[in-house]
Amino acid sequence: MGFAWGPGDILVYETLYKASGASGSGCSFIHEIRKDEDIYSPILRKLFNESHHIFVGLQTIREELPSKSKKPQFVSISKNYRSVIRACMEELQQVAGNTLATQCGNQVSILLAIELIWNLCEVLFIDAAPAGSLLLHLLDWVRLHKADVDERAREVLQSESAACYIFKITSPLLVFCICFRQMLVKQGTLQPAARSMYKQMDTLLSKMPFYNPGGTQTLTEFDVKWRHWHEEVDRCMQDNSFASNRHLEVICKILLGDEDTLLDHKELLGTWYHFLVTRLLFCHPTVKPTELHYYAQSCMTMFLDSRSVSEPLDNILLAAFEFDIHQVIKECSIALNNWWFVAHLTDLLDHCKLLQSHNLHFGSNLREFLLLEYASGLFTHHSLWQLAVDYFDHCPEFGRVYLELQIERVPLETERKALKVLRICEQRQMSEQVRSICKIMAMRALRNNRLGSALSWSIRAKDAAFATLISERFLQDYCAKGTFSDLDLIDNLGPAMLLSDRLTFLGKYREFHKLYGEKRFREAAKLLLSLMTAKIAPQSFWMTLLTDALPLLEQKEVIFTADQTYELMFCLEELTSSLNITEEDVEVTKVELLRLALARNLAQAIVKEGTVET
């Protein structure tokens, strides 16, 4: 088997090599194995885009603010992340329902698990709810992630019984039990002898106390009140008040938190963590955060079959209940198919100062490591790479190094994309990458014979050698065609023409043509002469310049002074002495014409200057 590594995928192919004794021909296919398939999902791209905005906003929260004032912001940001997850999940569910796509179904399952874990981390770590409020948050957590709660709620709320309000803060199992009771109450109207029994149960349910964090009642007062109610339910059980009705007796046992009864109704609970919250509701409503791990472990052990193996989700949730943040992140990194979840959750937890004690052995902290991995995956996508830049920007230790390496791998299919990449590099003073990108684009433009674009890119790269090469091409084109292409660019070179001598000559030579066209002959003549005497013009181009001087020498008015004419003559003789011109050469005619014109102009200039002097 052979393979080739890429930035985001691997090419795998079967080679011709065979083990001894093996036979058969090799496979002609090449397989592409993608590391992160999710970034190619159009719906999940919305998740990446929306969460990017939330991430950037989180980085703007000032460090110096006190923790108390930052906590509501962190909780709000956590809820924003969850709302984005849920929106994508609902859209995926619609697509899965319309197309029966297996891949969409798998993505929905993953997003459901992600939101479940994130919500629990929000309750335990970010919001850090105290005793009393903790159970209320866990009840909300269970209700939010139990798909059929709303349907059961509608059944209960159709009843006019005073006990129906309990649904708002209770588990799905009790909803089901109350539905039983409502059904039996209706039957009880036909059995007057049992009416008092149903009324007693309704009284017990209506007396069940619930903690209100915003009320005046303290947690201690609530605990006392709850214990008195629990004792009252227990007395009813001991008195066999509901012994004659099996359904009411089951509800009474549930209110007492009887473990055997709860486990007998596993199918209504569905999962061990629903069992945990139900057990806490009826046995330990004032549970403290530090006690959760004990109840979580025992509920998981009781609920799961001894022969069954716990799922990765079970291990992650158990680690969260044990307040082992790093184990949660580790398990999620192993179980989930991309870095999105662990990167954003870790970043948020790091801002909450919950990961300060954990650094990795190779220099970067956990937050930065996960963000770098996530952003590196985004860089393999044709459009999401732009989001990755902000993630690298907020990795102070290795972010810039990663960005410099990754930005060079972005394929520059169009000039528009190249300008985007270039702007990113320029904003971050990445001069090496700026030069590299400009050289690539300049070479591509030159290969396509787009000299203007090539010159523009080489100037931007500040590459003197390449600017010289392109300037030579411009001059060659001029010699061949007699006109310049891309006049706007050459006319507006400005200080950029100083990048190389050849570029300076190109700019000045074009300036000579403009002066000539505007009939500013004296200025044009002075500039033309300076290009040769200052050695700015390449000697190979002197004949062209001297030929350009002919119309000025033939003007009725004397343009070149005597001294200037002498200098032109010197340049012509220097040029002819360095060239091997035969008698049949076309250049001989040009030289003779130039000598004649120069001699005539010299005579006129001497006469004119002599006349002025006298």
Side-chain angles (χ1 to χ4, degrees):
M1 188 70 72
F3 56 88
W5 293 93
D9 50 20
I10 308 170
L11 294 179
V12 180
Y13 52 91
E14 189 175 343
T15 65
L16 294 175
Y17 174 80
K18 294 291 180 183
S20 58
S23 60
S25 59
C27 178
S28 59
F29 295 106
I30 295 178
H31 304 277
E32 180 184 8
I33 301 174
R34 285 176 172 170
K35 182 172 68 175
D36 191 353
E37 185 69 20
D38 286 346
I39 64 173
Y40 298 97
S41 165
I43 296 175
L44 289 181
R45 278 206 296 274
K46 295 179 183 178
L47 172 68
F48 301 137
N49 280 302
E50 292 297 327
S51 59
H52 163 260
H53 295 305
I54 301 170
F55 170 83
V56 173
L58 174 58
Q59 313 311 308
T60 61
I61 295 179
R62 292 180 298 169
E63 287 290 329
E64 63 269 16
L65 289 175
S67 299
K68 286 185 178 179
S69 59
K70 286 193 288 188
K71 180 179 173 180
Q73 295 182 63
F74 291 146
V75 173
S76 175
I77 287 170
S78 178
K79 289 179 178 177
N80 289 341
Y81 275 127
R82 288 200 293 114
S83 67
V84 170
I85 296 171
R86 185 158 284 273
C88 288
M89 186 165 56
E90 290 172 356
E91 192 169 348
L92 279 169
Q93 284 173 329
Q94 290 178 357
V95 173
N98 295 335
T99 63
L100 300 176
T102 305
Q103 185 180 3
C104 286
N106 293 337
Q107 290 173 339
V108 168
S109 301
I110 292 169
L111 288 179
L112 277 168
I114 283 175
E115 195 200 1
L116 179 71
I117 299 164
W118 192 301
N119 196 352
L120 182 60
C121 290
E122 179 186 305
V123 170
L124 299 180
F125 306 139
I126 302 168
D127 201 3
S133 299
L134 176 60
L135 179 61
L136 299 179
H137 283 80
L138 291 175
L139 287 166
D140 285 337
W141 172 64
V142 166
R143 188 171 67 249
L144 185 62
H145 298 282
K146 187 67 175 175
D148 55 353
V149 167
D150 291 339
E151 183 180 344
R152 294 178 182 180
R154 280 192 293 271
E155 295 177 12
V156 175
L157 293 175
Q158 286 173 358
S159 169
E160 297 179 357
S161 172
C164 291
Y165 79 95
I166 294 177
F167 163 76
K168 296 180 181 178
I169 51 172
T170 192
S171 70
L173 177 59
L174 188 58
V175 174
F176 194 79
C177 291
I178 293 173
C179 289
F180 264 130
R181 188 183 62 81
Q182 295 302 322
M183 180 183 65
L184 294 173
V185 165
K186 290 175 182 178
Q187 291 180 353
T189 56
L190 304 175
Q191 303 174 22
R195 191 173 299 167
S196 61
M197 192 186 309
Y198 293 122
K199 186 175 181 181
Q200 186 178 6
M201 175 56 72
D202 189 58
T203 302
L204 286 177
L205 289 170
S206 63
K207 284 183 178 180
M208 183 177 179
F210 295 101
Y211 181 65
N212 180 12
T216 56
Q217 189 181 49
T218 65
L219 185 63
T220 305
E221 290 171 343
F222 162 74
D223 188 47
V224 171
K225 188 175 180 181
W226 184 86
R227 290 181 185 282
H228 287 158
W229 171 82
H230 199 264
E231 290 169 2
E232 184 178 350
V233 176
D234 188 47
R235 280 196 300 272
C236 291
M237 194 68 199
Q238 298 300 327
D239 295 344
N240 295 319
S241 301
F242 306 107
S244 59
N245 189 305
R246 183 171 58 87
H247 300 294
L248 293 182
E249 188 174 38
V250 167
I251 292 178
C252 190
K253 287 180 179 180
I254 290 173
L255 293 177
L256 287 171
D258 183 72
E259 293 172 358
D260 293 334
T261 305
L262 291 172
L263 291 172
D264 286 341
H265 295 80
K266 269 187 181 183
E267 70 282 359
L268 299 179
L269 290 165
T271 61
W272 67 267
Y273 44 91
H274 289 172
F275 172 50
L276 165 65
V277 177
T278 304
R279 185 182 170 199
L280 292 175
L281 174 65
F282 296 121
C283 296
H284 311 283
T286 58
V287 63
K288 298 176 182 177
T290 53
E291 299 169 342
L292 270 179
H293 69 93
Y294 163 73
Y295 295 114
Q297 183 64 67
S298 62
C299 286
M300 183 174 171
T301 303
M302 284 189 285
F303 194 86
L304 296 180
D305 194 311
S306 58
R307 292 169 295 178
S308 62
V309 180
S310 59
E311 297 289 333
L313 179 60
D314 297 325
N315 297 330
I316 293 168
L317 295 178
L318 183 60
F321 282 121
E322 291 173 347
F323 284 82
D324 191 345
I325 297 176
H326 300 108
Q327 188 63 26
V328 171
I329 295 168
K330 179 182 176 181
E331 294 282 351
C332 290
S333 300
I334 296 169
L336 298 176
N337 61 343
N338 65 65
W339 296 102
W340 179 89
F341 173 74
V342 288
H344 289 87
L345 179 63
T346 304
D347 174 60
L348 181 54
L349 294 175
D350 186 74
H351 277 83
C352 296
K353 307 294 183 186
L354 296 172
L355 296 172
Q356 297 304 302
S357 61
H358 195 80
N359 288 317
L360 303 180
H361 296 299
F362 46 85
S364 177
N365 60 33
L366 182 60
R367 169 193 174 271
E368 182 162 321
F369 168 76
L370 294 172
L371 287 177
L372 291 173
E373 289 296 317
Y374 171 65
S376 297
L378 291 181
F379 247 100
T380 62
H381 192 269
H382 64 88
S383 63
L384 294 177
W385 65 269
Q386 297 173 78
L387 306 181
V389 174
D390 286 325
Y391 289 95
F392 285 139
D393 282 344
H394 292 99
C395 294
E397 195 161 353
F398 294 119
R400 185 179 176 88
V401 177
Y402 269 67
L403 180 57
E404 289 174 352
L405 293 172
Q406 294 284 357
I407 204 83
E408 293 177 348
R409 297 177 179 177
V410 176
L412 307 174
E413 298 98 344
T414 62
E415 284 208 4
R416 183 180 177 185
K417 189 171 182 180
L419 288 170
K420 277 184 183 179
V421 177
L422 194 65
R423 187 162 52 250
I424 289 168
C425 295
E426 288 175 340
Q427 288 169 350
R428 291 155 182 80
Q429 288 81 47
M430 295 163 60
S431 54
E432 190 66 34
Q433 284 68 31
V434 168
R435 281 194 294 272
S436 175
I437 292 164
C438 291
K439 284 181 182 179
I440 291 169
M441 297 306 295
M443 187 62 74
R444 185 180 298 173
L446 186 61
R447 282 199 298 267
N448 295 326
N449 205 32
R450 295 169 53 233
L451 297 182
S453 178
L455 181 59
S456 176
W457 282 110
S458 64
I459 291 171
R460 202 159 186 172
K462 296 182 173 57
D463 189 334
F466 205 74
T468 299
L469 174 66
I470 298 169
S471 301
E472 287 279 8
R473 287 284 300 272
F474 265 106
L475 295 172
Q476 290 170 11
D477 272 16
Y478 173 77
C479 292
K481 301 175 183 176
T483 56
F484 282 112
S485 59
D486 299 286
L487 287 178
D488 287 344
L489 175 64
I490 301 173
D491 288 344
N492 295 285
L493 284 173
M497 71 170 64
L498 301 176
L499 181 62
S500 76
D501 290 346
R502 201 56 42 87
L503 185 57
T504 303
F505 168 68
L506 177 64
K508 289 297 180 182
Y509 186 53
R510 169 59 189 157
E511 189 179 331
F512 159 76
H513 279 276
K514 286 176 68 179
L515 292 170
Y516 187 88
E518 295 167 1
K519 299 188 183 302
R520 295 159 64 183
F521 297 133
R522 293 188 187 281
E523 294 176 56
K526 185 179 179 181
L527 178 58
L528 185 71
L529 183 61
S530 67
L531 289 176
M532 288 187 287
T533 56
K535 307 296 183 185
I536 295 174
Q539 198 173 63
S540 60
F541 209 76
W542 279 18
M543 184 59 76
T544 303
L545 294 176
L546 289 166
T547 306
D548 287 335
L550 267 175
L552 296 173
L553 293 168
E554 298 294 337
Q555 292 287 328
K556 291 182 180 180
E557 183 184 358
V558 177
I559 304 299
F560 288 101
T561 65
D563 289 340
Q564 289 174 331
T565 307
Y566 280 125
E567 288 182 352
L568 284 173
M569 287 178 167
F570 177 78
C571 289
L572 179 61
E573 293 308 314
E574 187 180 343
L575 176 63
T576 53
S577 64
S578 65
L579 295 174
N580 184 20
I581 302 175
T582 62
E583 290 185 5
E584 293 82 14
D585 202 319
V586 178
E587 298 297 320
V588 173
T589 307
K590 288 185 181 179
V591 170
E592 293 301 324
L593 285 173
L594 282 167
R595 281 174 176 163
L596 180 62
L598 286 167
R600 188 185 300 119
N601 187 83
L602 180 61
Q604 291 175 346
I606 290 172
V607 170
K608 181 180 179 182
E609 291 171 11
T611 304
V612 171
E613 287 176 3
T614 57

